[in-house]
Amino acid sequence: VGPDPRDDACVGAAPPLLDPTEGRTALSLAAERGDAAMVRLLLDHGADPGRADASGRRPADRATDPAIRALLD
């Protein structure tokens, strides 16, 4: 797992890949887990909601919560 996206060193930097093989990002994982606060934080700091993983799924595709999908679309 990469650095905590709440750390000052991460502000303004692209969130790291959590799994380079699968291409999953912190945003993708937060969306899948239903963590709206983390999704907002990552988006506020430049996370790309359009970045697809190795299987072609975007963070919105992994979100099960409609409110999180709306944040990502």
Side-chain angles (χ1 to χ4, degrees):
V1 177
D4 187 325
R6 295 169 288 203
D7 289 346
D8 289 338
C10 294
V11 174
L17 291 177
L18 294 176
D19 182 345
T21 304
E22 292 183 20
R24 300 288 305 275
T25 63
L27 183 60
S28 176
L29 184 61
E32 185 172 67
R33 289 186 175 176
D35 188 342
M38 183 58 72
V39 167
R40 282 189 201 97
L41 179 73
L42 291 166
L43 290 172
D44 287 348
H45 292 285
D48 181 2
R51 183 178 183 152
D53 61 23
S55 67
R57 296 177 72 188
R58 299 173 304 118
D61 300 329
R62 293 197 175 271
T64 57
D65 181 335
I68 290 177
R69 274 194 226 116
L71 287 172
L72 296 166
D73 283 334

